[in-house]
Amino acid sequence: DEVESLLPDLQRAARELPDLQRSWSREELPDLQRVAGSCMEAAGMYLQGVLELQRLEGISSPGRELLVQDKVKAAFPHRKCASVAPAGYVDPHSLPIPECNTEWLAKHHYQAVRDSDGVEVKVGDAVEMGGDPMDFYMLVTELFEDVKGKRVCNGRYFYSKEETVMANENEEGEKFIEVLQDPRRLFVATEEDNASYTTVQPLDTIVRRVVIKRVKPGAPAPGPKECDFWYDQSHTRQFFTFMDVVEAEDLEEEEEEKEDNRIDMRVLELCSGVGGLGFLCQVYCCGIDEVLMLSKIWFLEIMTKWNKSSGSKSKAQASKEVVSVLEVKLCENAPRGSKGQCKGQLMSRLKREFCWLEYLVMYKDETAKWVKDSDMPLQCEAEMEAFVHSHCAANRIPIPGTVDMIMGGPPCQGLSGLNRNAKRMDILNDPKNRLIRTYYDMVEWFKPKITLTEQVLDMFKKENGRYARFVAASLCAHRYQCRIGIIAAGDHGCPQGRFRTITWGAAPGQRLPAFPEPSHRCRHFHTTVPRVAQDCRVQFLSEASRKAAYPMTLIGDILDDLPPISNFTMTDAADYICEPTRPYQVYMRRAPPPGHASLEERVNAADSLMRLRSNEVLMELAKVYHENGPAALGYKFFCRKGVDFKDDIKAREMAADAARPAEDDGELLDSSSSDEDGTESNDKALVAVMPSTSAKAGKEGKAAPKAAKAGKKGGRKQEVGDEDEDDVLVIDFKREANYVAETWKAFQKKFTPSDQKRQEETRQGSREAFAQDLGEMVYQEVVRATTSRSAGPLRDHRALQCNADDYMRMVGVPSRKNACFRDMLGVVSNPDGTCCAGHCHAYIKKDDTCGCQGGGTTYEPTHSLHKDSRIDLHDRDGWRGADLQRCESKTFWLPTGDFLCPRWCVTFQKGKSGRNGSRQSCFGRVWYDEIQPTVVTRAEPHNLKLVHPTQDRVLSIREMARSQGFPDYWVLIGVDASSSRKETSSIPTRYRQMGNAVAPPVARALGRCLIAALSAPRQETGHKEVHPVVRVVDPEIQQAYEEARHLGLVAYSDDCGLDASTEATRNHKGGKRAPAAENNEGDMAVGGPKKRGVK
């Protein structure tokens, strides 16, 4: 209106000005100048008004300044402005980030521009930008011209699905995503991510203007006619985060806070194992696929047919033969694996065509039986309606809308680096990794508010983190928020490192939980985080937080109050030897929470389930001792991976003789006795009388098990003979296929026939004496287990019973820090890190160099997956002998006939295992000032440091449980490997439970993060990144450490210091000498026990 009112005056003045100029005299000139000035002022006001109208309409001419300087400073406070280019000013595009975004000098700012094609772009528009290697999308936040006349725009990035962490690359460099995503969906970059990119781009790189619409979290996606693209989440590569974008208009009024401040969550836990994540309770147990299929059938078919509304009256008549329907279960006959590690497992998703329901029906004759749904009695509609109604009212079967949270840890065997049979490529099609797809099928079906998934660190290692990318893509496909973090158990007070990957998922509109900040300092445990996961490591928020944290928990914090045990201990109950001596022991020995089962109730329950099978094993061992003598009992423990109580004696012998591949991060170990133990071969020169039921008689008596055959990808199978009435085991040390036999044969060539015969007699006598002493030792443990009536508070303090060979090898490792097989008699460490053991030496490298002083004997093994490339077979046709000239290493034999230092110890990790006390130390001892890198499922000492610091055994189940953070009131029950899941006293099963579990202190911290997310109101986030790590406090840890402080107890790390010498502790515990050895003619050394005892 002001512009239009000035226009008539301006036009009239323009018409009158020429006439006035001709008629007015010089004296009247000042009046003329006044009129001209008025005209110019009016013209200027008119021009400014026109430009303002153009700005409001979103149109401007290129190069036209639209904002005055004070408005620029208010709108873009970060932008530096200047009228001319200062000396030394260069194009900021040549500078690194973030200087390339902040060092621009703006001369003119624009609200809108029009390119050469006439396309108008305003501040706030979304545009497609040309880029290399692909175009990208950006929200324009600033338009300006710099001091050198270069016209540019600044903005906020949008990620396409191919630019997020969901995308992976194949061998051809092509991007792909495992789970189908909406092609029109984008993800806005957070402020932190946006600052890490070059956001200032030339205007001539704008390809086109597009329409990108923000969608409220949980709202339906807009159609193609509404917009070109849409977004509802922000994304950052830190913690693989996808999070809702919440604006002020999305926030609804918060509900009034409950008086009791309770948060009730109905949780469905999958793959719960020993209960590390669901640390509070377990209620319902069933297979994952079965739960999903049962829920679908129940919800879509049964409830639709039988669950009548409460207001409607049923017209069904009561049955004349059925009293009631008591229970329902899912039955299926889906195809399953028939061999290998996948035997008995579903190979794909469970399909409806293979499933049916069965009902437990109570008849009027007081009999109950399971009836197939198609065979249900006629006219029992009333009973079915009552049954379905009661089940629905009690939420007995989970259905959509009744599950608030799904959590669990799908099996890791297909990912773990310790599994040498796992697939290295195409891992998502490995049957062992199949359950992760079923896991997110359940998320899609139940639509919980929160999901929590636990997995090993190796989910980031294979195929550039393909497994982790699949997890993120699965959540995003259902529009769930996602956050993936790597948490160390040691950061929360456990004496182990144990990296675990935790994935939070939150439904649209829910607050995404954060990760807990570490509560303890953790000692470095030399586990490398993959590059793709570097941004996912959960660490202290600040250096001040690290200094204020609790001291690190070490192995020395868990051992002091536990009684000493042996390799052959067979009792589950024991007493503590003293009161707690460390704060961590106070925390471990706390009572169960109020309202939970007491320790006594847990012990009684465990004993009632395991006592029968345990007594059967003890009675069978005692029977062998009394009927056949102590030597026969000792022979029972020869040549086995370990003694397992999960089956009876006969089946247990056959299972124990079946060799399995030892696993670790290096090459495959041949730790079986069949290839290396002379006691597993047929030696006609040595006959030992022992009762046995694992072989079949032949013309020459009892035949030993055949040598192991290499299986696919390093796996092996071993054939075991049948039963024979003659209890004679014939062992052939001259068998050419046996490395120990060949070495013995080569060694004997040095001597005369008479000396060879005497050596054989000496070896036979040593073997029989050792079996006698070992049988007496085992029998004493049997007597102690059968006569002891101790119901002490300490449970599960017993070790895996290693075979006689491994037991003697643990005896042969001295009690000191970093001790391992390299400290056995006869082993020599070379300057290049390799080692030699008399019968096996360092290999000759391709450049003809070798660390062995004798020049080496073998060549480097190949890395093929073929069975003939197994590391223990790579020089089968090579050198044999007990020593090598100029090399100081010697060969020592055990009384069982095998090497003291197995050959696979020398060849493992190219001969460099066990250096400087590394984790991969065969028969390595842990020490008081160390932590375990990871508690594993197999407690065999073949390739990891698992031997007790001073006792000749591996760490016990309870010591492993304490390393995991399980309190002492957590009583374990072995489960049979059969499909019936029968409870037994199986020791390996309990070790597997500990190795597969989530550390409870980590689970408790995650639970508190969940409570914080559920109880806090939603807040506006916009494009800001909500901090993914928060500090939480565990009152039980606080109480335990406060109690320890009053008792004057300090942590081991505070008591001695990490770098302080442990000599005093070692002297206090007492050293232990190596096994006795007898030196005979030549360089032969036979180590073995004396007549009494084994040391």
Side-chain angles (χ1 to χ4, degrees):
D1 293 340
E2 292 178 357
V3 172
E4 291 179 355
S5 65
L6 291 174
L7 184 58
D9 295 336
L10 180 61
Q11 292 174 344
R12 184 175 62 254
R15 291 193 301 268
E16 295 176 353
L17 186 59
D19 296 333
L20 291 174
Q21 189 174 5
R22 289 193 298 270
S23 61
W24 288 10
S25 62
R26 183 177 297 276
E27 291 77 14
E28 297 174 328
L29 184 59
D31 295 332
L32 178 61
Q33 291 177 342
R34 179 179 54 79
V35 173
S38 298
C39 292
M40 295 299 297
E41 182 178 0
M45 295 177 64
Y46 177 74
L47 180 60
Q48 290 185 6
V50 171
L51 294 177
E52 182 66 12
L53 285 176
Q54 291 180 346
R55 185 190 69 80
L56 295 174
E57 294 175 357
I59 303 173
S60 64
S61 300
R64 178 70 67 179
E65 184 177 358
L66 297 179
L67 294 181
V68 294
Q69 201 67 18
D70 57 343
K71 292 184 178 180
V72 172
K73 292 181 180 179
F76 309 105
H78 64 281
R79 182 64 60 211
K80 301 176 183 178
C81 299
S83 57
V84 295
Y89 179 77
V90 297
D91 186 347
H93 275 149
S94 62
L95 301 176
I97 299 174
E99 288 79 4
C100 66
N101 296 325
T102 60
E103 295 302 317
W104 288 86
L105 294 179
K107 184 178 181 180
H108 302 296
H109 272 79
Y110 307 99
Q111 288 291 348
V113 296
R114 182 183 292 113
D115 60 15
S116 58
D117 297 330
V119 178
E120 301 164 2
V121 177
K122 305 186 298 292
V123 173
D125 283 347
V127 294
E128 180 180 352
M129 309 290 292
D132 184 23
M134 59 187 300
D135 293 351
F136 58 93
Y137 302 94
M138 189 170 70
L139 180 68
V140 177
T141 59
E142 186 180 10
L143 294 166
F144 66 93
E145 178 183 325
D146 79 336
V147 291
K148 287 191 174 183
K150 190 170 186 177
R151 299 168 61 229
V152 295
C153 64
N154 190 14
R156 179 173 299 280
Y157 272 99
F158 284 96
Y159 293 108
S160 65
K161 61 182 185 300
E162 291 81 10
E163 296 174 298
T164 66
V165 296
M166 294 186 291
N168 206 348
E169 289 188 1
N170 56 23
E171 296 179 354
E172 291 75 23
E174 299 174 346
K175 296 273 189 178
F176 70 94
I177 299 178
E178 299 288 347
V179 184
L180 183 64
Q181 307 287 328
D182 188 336
R184 297 172 50 247
R185 188 184 186 190
L186 300 177
F187 304 88
V188 63
T190 61
E191 292 182 356
E192 293 78 3
D193 268 25
N194 202 67
S196 65
Y197 301 130
T198 303
T199 58
V200 178
Q201 301 287 345
L203 288 182
D204 55 10
T205 60
I206 296 178
V207 177
R208 60 177 178 135
R209 189 175 64 183
V210 296
V211 178
I212 301 178
K213 183 179 179 180
R214 188 190 73 86
V215 178
K216 181 180 178 181
K225 295 182 179 180
E226 298 181 52
C227 59
D228 299 309
F229 301 96
W230 61 275
Y231 73 97
D232 61 343
Q233 292 182 349
S234 62
H235 172 57
T236 176
R237 297 180 182 276
Q238 185 183 29
F239 297 108
F240 277 37
T241 302
F242 295 84
M243 191 172 64
D244 285 345
V245 175
V246 182
E247 302 291 355
E249 59 267 23
D250 299 333
L251 299 177
E252 301 176 353
E253 295 182 1
E254 297 290 339
E255 297 180 359
E256 295 183 2
E257 185 177 358
K258 296 181 181 180
E259 294 182 0
D260 58 358
N261 200 28
R262 286 179 57 86
I263 299 175
D264 295 327
M265 295 285 288
R266 291 166 293 185
V267 181
L268 179 62
E269 182 172 11
L270 313 177
C271 309
S272 58
V274 76
L277 269 178
F279 190 57
L280 297 180
C281 63
Q282 287 186 145
V283 178
Y284 184 76
C285 295
C286 190
I288 295 180
D289 292 274
E290 290 83 350
V291 167
L292 180 57
M293 181 56 66
L294 176 61
S295 176
K296 289 183 177 181
I297 297 177
W298 183 263
F299 183 73
L300 298 176
E301 301 177 20
I302 304 302
M303 290 182 60
T304 303
K305 180 177 181 180
W306 298 108
N307 190 29
K308 306 298 182 180
S309 60
S310 58
S312 61
K313 295 183 179 180
S314 175
K315 299 180 180 180
Q317 299 295 326
S319 173
K320 297 182 179 179
E321 54 179 324
V322 175
V323 176
S324 62
V325 181
L326 303 178
E327 191 57 81
V328 62
K329 67 179 179 180
L330 180 78
C331 299
E332 50 84 16
N333 57 359
R336 295 179 178 268
S338 59
K339 59 182 180 179
Q341 296 187 11
C342 297
K343 184 176 182 180
Q345 297 184 12
L346 287 170
M347 305 301 290
S348 61
R349 290 182 175 95
L350 195 60
K351 298 181 180 180
R352 178 66 178 93
E353 59 194 80
F354 299 117
C355 304
W356 67 91
L357 297 182
E358 289 188 1
Y359 297 93
L360 183 60
V361 179
M362 175 63 72
Y363 291 89
K364 291 191 175 181
D365 59 358
E366 297 185 354
T367 60
K369 63 179 180 178
W370 289 97
V371 181
K372 191 175 181 179
D373 50 6
S374 59
D375 299 331
M376 285 289 289
L378 299 176
Q379 298 179 350
C380 63
E381 292 85 356
E383 289 75 17
M384 280 296 300
E385 287 184 8
F387 169 72
V388 173
H389 181 73
S390 63
H391 258 55
C392 293
N395 288 328
R396 294 289 303 276
I397 298 176
I399 59 175
T402 65
V403 177
D404 297 316
M405 181 178 180
I406 291 179
M407 66 178 180
C412 66
Q413 286 85 353
L415 298 173
S416 176
L418 298 180
N419 184 2
R420 285 296 163 268
N421 295 315
K423 297 181 67 172
R424 300 179 183 179
M425 301 297 293
D426 198 21
I427 58 175
L428 290 178
N429 290 324
D430 186 343
K432 285 188 169 294
N433 295 329
R434 182 190 61 81
L435 285 182
I436 188 61
R437 297 185 184 274
T438 306
Y439 186 98
Y440 287 106
D441 287 346
M442 299 192 76
V443 173
E444 180 183 12
W445 171 251
F446 290 110
K447 293 180 175 56
K449 298 176 182 177
I450 301 293
T451 68
L452 176 61
T453 311
E454 178 268 347
Q455 194 50 272
V456 295
L457 179 63
D458 295 52
M459 69 181 281
F460 282 104
K461 293 183 178 180
K462 295 183 178 181
E463 297 187 273
N464 193 30
R466 183 178 180 183
Y467 191 98
R469 299 178 192 275
F470 170 81
V471 169
S474 297
L475 287 169
C476 286
H478 305 316
R479 295 183 64 180
Y480 270 66
Q481 305 168 79
C482 173
R483 180 175 282 153
I484 303 178
I486 299 172
I487 299 178
D491 286 340
H492 295 272
C494 299
Q496 65 164 332
R498 195 179 187 85
F499 278 138
R500 283 299 178 266
T501 304
I502 304 296
T503 302
W504 282 117
Q510 298 292 327
R511 288 200 58 166
L512 182 63
F515 296 116
E517 182 187 21
S519 60
H520 292 67
R521 295 186 292 273
C522 177
R523 188 167 191 183
H524 183 57
F525 51 99
H526 305 288
T527 299
T528 304
V529 176
R531 182 178 179 181
V532 68
Q534 290 292 332
D535 292 334
C536 297
R537 175 75 168 94
V538 179
Q539 299 178 345
F540 285 103
L541 295 173
S542 64
E543 180 62 21
S545 296
R546 191 192 69 81
K547 292 181 179 179
Y550 293 112
M552 59 185 64
T553 306
L554 306 174
I555 295 295
D557 290 300
I558 69 174
L559 301 179
D560 291 349
D561 62 335
L562 301 179
I565 58 175
S566 75
N567 180 72
F568 306 101
T569 296
M570 300 182 186
T571 55
D572 280 311
D575 295 301
Y576 298 103
I577 59 174
C578 63
E579 294 297 321
T581 61
R582 304 289 179 188
Y584 190 69
Q585 296 171 17
V586 176
Y587 180 58
M588 289 290 97
R589 292 168 64 169
R590 68 189 187 275
H596 290 248
S598 66
L599 176 60
E600 182 180 1
E601 292 172 329
R602 297 164 188 252
V603 168
N604 292 336
D607 285 342
S608 65
L609 292 171
M610 297 191 299
R611 183 183 295 112
L612 178 61
R613 184 63 60 90
S614 179
N615 289 342
E616 289 177 356
V617 173
L618 294 174
M619 292 175 62
E620 186 67 27
L621 293 176
K623 180 180 179 181
V624 172
Y625 178 85
H626 291 296
E627 293 182 357
N628 301 285
L633 182 59
Y635 280 124
K636 288 286 185 183
F637 290 81
F638 273 34
C639 316
R640 288 185 177 84
K641 306 278 287 182
V643 178
D644 188 358
F645 291 156
K646 65 183 180 182
D647 295 306
D648 58 22
I649 294 297
K650 181 192 301 185
R652 193 171 68 251
E653 285 181 357
M654 298 177 63
D657 284 336
R660 293 176 297 173
E663 304 161 347
D664 203 82
D665 291 335
E667 291 82 0
L668 180 68
L669 294 180
D670 180 17
S671 56
S672 73
S673 55
S674 61
D675 222 28
E676 299 265 342
D677 286 345
T679 54
E680 285 285 348
S681 58
N682 296 325
D683 189 353
K684 299 178 182 178
L686 178 58
V687 179
V689 179
M690 59 174 290
S692 178
T693 58
S694 62
K696 186 175 182 179
K699 294 182 178 180
E700 298 181 3
K702 186 175 177 61
K706 297 181 181 180
K709 296 184 179 179
K712 295 183 179 179
K713 295 186 179 180
R716 297 175 302 156
K717 298 180 180 179
Q718 181 160 344
E719 299 178 2
V720 182
D722 297 326
E723 190 174 355
D724 178 26
E725 58 185 8
D726 296 329
D727 294 330
V728 179
L729 178 63
V730 181
I731 304 174
D732 184 6
F733 281 101
K734 297 179 180 179
R735 185 175 179 181
E736 293 294 330
N738 190 282
Y739 187 86
V740 176
E742 293 174 358
T743 304
W744 178 261
K745 179 180 177 181
F747 169 74
Q748 283 192 312
K749 290 182 179 179
K750 297 182 179 181
F751 309 103
T752 62
S754 59
D755 291 336
Q756 293 180 13
K757 182 178 180 180
R758 184 169 55 85
Q759 289 169 0
E760 290 287 358
E761 293 174 351
T762 301
R763 200 177 192 190
Q764 171 68 9
S766 177
R767 174 183 172 86
E768 293 177 351
F770 176 72
Q772 182 87 10
D773 290 347
L774 183 62
E776 292 288 356
M777 177 184 296
V778 172
Y779 182 68
Q780 293 300 322
E781 294 293 344
V782 172
V783 172
R784 186 178 296 109
T786 54
T787 59
S788 174
R789 293 294 181 264
S790 172
L794 180 61
R795 298 285 299 193
D796 302 307
H797 185 45
R798 56 188 299 187
L800 178 72
Q801 291 179 333
C802 297
N803 61 52
D805 291 344
D806 288 344
Y807 169 67
M808 287 302 299
R809 287 160 183 158
M810 290 187 288
V811 173
V813 176
S815 177
R816 63 168 178 263
K817 185 176 181 179
N818 296 336
C820 63
F821 77 96
R822 290 174 176 261
D823 299 282
M824 293 178 178
L825 292 175
V827 180
V828 172
S829 294
N830 302 317
D832 65 346
T834 60
C835 58
C836 302
H839 54 85
C840 183
H841 298 261
Y843 60 81
I844 303 172
K845 299 180 180 179
K846 294 181 180 179
D847 56 0
D848 294 330
T849 62
C850 181
C852 176
Q853 299 300 316
T857 58
T858 67
Y859 290 90
E860 181 177 6
T862 65
H863 296 280
S864 169
L865 294 179
H866 192 269
K867 63 182 182 180
D868 293 335
S869 298
R870 203 174 64 200
I871 191 163
D872 60 302
L873 301 175
H874 71 272
D875 65 341
R876 183 166 290 283
D877 297 326
W879 173 87
R880 297 291 186 270
D883 61 353
L884 186 65
Q885 190 175 5
R886 299 191 308 276
C887 182
E888 297 180 356
S889 63
K890 304 292 182 182
T891 297
F892 280 74
W893 276 276
L894 294 173
T896 59
D898 199 1
F899 297 130
L900 172 62
C901 176
R903 178 166 166 263
W904 37 264
C905 290
V906 179
T907 58
F908 180 44
Q909 289 194 328
K910 299 183 179 181
K912 296 186 178 182
S913 66
R915 293 183 302 167
N916 303 321
S918 66
R919 177 196 182 194
Q920 287 80 19
S921 299
C922 306
F923 299 97
R925 291 190 181 273
V926 299
W927 204 248
Y928 302 99
D929 60 350
E930 299 174 345
I931 63 174
Q932 290 197 72
T934 298
V935 172
V936 294
T937 58
R938 294 177 60 189
E940 296 167 345
H942 297 153
N943 51 10
L944 292 176
K945 292 175 62 174
L946 291 175
V947 183
H948 190 277
T950 59
Q951 301 171 28
D952 303 323
R953 60 172 178 85
V954 297
L955 294 177
S956 69
I957 302 171
R958 178 51 54 192
E959 289 161 348
M960 291 290 196
R962 283 188 167 189
S963 297
Q964 277 278 57
F966 278 91
D968 289 355
Y969 66 75
W970 201 264
V971 180
L972 300 177
I973 300 174
V975 177
D976 196 351
S978 64
S979 59
S980 62
R981 297 183 61 85
K982 185 175 181 180
E983 289 80 4
T984 71
S985 58
S986 172
I987 302 302
T989 296
R990 284 185 268 180
Y991 273 106
R992 284 194 295 271
Q993 289 174 346
M994 283 295 98
N996 287 327
V998 176
V1002 175
R1004 293 171 64 89
L1006 290 170
R1008 282 176 165 74
C1009 290
L1010 174 62
I1011 292 174
L1014 295 175
S1015 58
R1018 284 204 305 157
Q1019 56 183 332
E1020 182 179 351
T1021 59
H1023 305 149
K1024 297 180 180 179
E1025 166 67 16
V1026 178
H1027 206 288
V1029 180
V1030 297
R1031 178 172 177 78
V1032 295
V1033 178
D1034 190 331
E1036 290 196 1
I1037 293 180
Q1038 278 188 328
Q1039 181 180 356
Y1041 275 80
E1042 184 66 20
E1043 180 181 347
R1045 187 178 65 84
H1046 286 299
L1047 295 174
L1049 307 181
V1050 296
Y1052 189 89
S1053 59
D1054 289 340
D1055 196 13
C1056 66
L1058 289 179
D1059 298 327
S1061 172
T1062 56
E1063 185 67 26
T1065 303
R1066 182 164 61 251
N1067 291 338
H1068 173 71
K1069 294 292 182 181
K1072 178 171 54 59
R1073 58 186 174 89
E1078 300 178 6
N1079 291 328
N1080 301 295
E1081 288 99 0
D1083 295 324
M1084 174 184 177
V1086 179
K1090 296 185 178 180
K1091 189 171 182 179
R1092 295 182 180 179
V1094 296
K1095 290 189 181 180

